[in-house]
Amino acid sequence: MVEEVQENASLALASSNEGINDLRFYWWGYEIFLSKSTMQKLVSVGIAARGGYVGYIVKKLEKQY
């Protein structure tokens, strides 16, 4: 039981260091909070999407010539 509590405490500490994913609405707009790992995933997906788009454009240009 003590080991389980210690594991949960370290997990909570690790997750609090990581950040939160949250969306808060206000009268003036909204505020978005994204954790570090979520941002890393979004960046890697964005890079992959751009690479796929460049490949698509290159194939279209090859067909024209």
Side-chain angles (χ1 to χ4, degrees):
M1 180 72 173
V2 173
E3 291 176 7
E4 184 178 333
V5 171
Q6 288 177 343
E7 287 177 16
N8 290 339
S10 64
L11 179 61
L13 181 61
S15 64
S16 67
N17 288 338
E18 175 65 27
I20 58 170
N21 295 322
D22 195 14
L23 178 62
R24 296 180 185 167
F25 292 95
Y26 300 99
W27 64 270
W28 49 265
Y30 55 91
E31 195 171 24
I32 300 174
F33 298 91
L34 297 174
S35 68
K36 183 179 177 181
S37 61
T38 301
M39 286 302 299
Q40 289 173 341
K41 290 176 187 175
L42 287 172
V43 167
S44 64
V45 167
I47 290 171
R50 276 187 248 147
Y53 182 72
V54 167
Y56 172 77
I57 296 297
V58 168
K59 282 190 176 189
K60 279 203 138 213
L61 289 174
E62 286 176 350
K63 288 181 181 178
Q64 288 180 354
Y65 297 104

